[in-house]
Amino acid sequence: LSIFLTPAGGAESLAHRILGRSPISDDELARRFKSMKKELEQAKFYDYKIVVIEGEIEKMVIDAEKIIFSELTNKRQVARNSE
């Protein structure tokens, strides 16, 4: 089971958040953007994707719990059906 967490607003929103935190060098900014691009490209390989809205971490946790519970429930049902 894999869950990808992505910011609401995608790369643009994440870039804005990086720039808004504190001053960073151009090299560090380029490194972070490169890393961000690679990470966002990997989202397609995950089983689930949760869009995270800044300041709503509790909702993200609830969404993740729902996914995990659903997966556990489905696996139990499959195991029961194969007995």
Side-chain angles (χ1 to χ4, degrees):
L1 168 66
S2 58
I3 302 172
F4 188 86
L5 304 177
T6 187
E12 184 177 312
S13 172
L14 192 53
H16 180 70
R17 287 175 49 197
I18 290 170
L19 293 170
R21 287 187 187 147
S22 63
I24 59 175
S25 70
D26 289 343
D27 289 342
E28 177 65 13
L29 183 61
R31 185 191 68 75
R32 289 189 187 192
F33 282 156
K34 184 177 178 182
S35 176
M36 174 182 60
K37 183 179 177 188
K38 283 182 182 180
E39 290 174 15
L40 291 173
E41 287 173 354
Q42 295 299 310
K44 61 187 171 195
F45 299 112
Y46 285 68
D47 299 319
Y48 296 91
K49 182 170 92 173
I50 296 176
V51 176
V52 180
I53 299 170
E54 190 170 0
E56 294 189 12
I57 196 161
E58 289 147 3
K59 181 183 179 320
M60 183 264 317
V61 170
I62 290 168
D63 291 345
E65 288 174 339
K66 286 178 183 177
I67 291 168
I68 294 166
F69 181 75
S70 175
E71 284 289 321
L72 289 172
T73 302
N74 289 338
K75 287 183 180 184
R76 287 184 189 138
Q77 288 175 352
V78 169
R80 286 185 192 138
N81 292 336
S82 64
E83 293 175 355

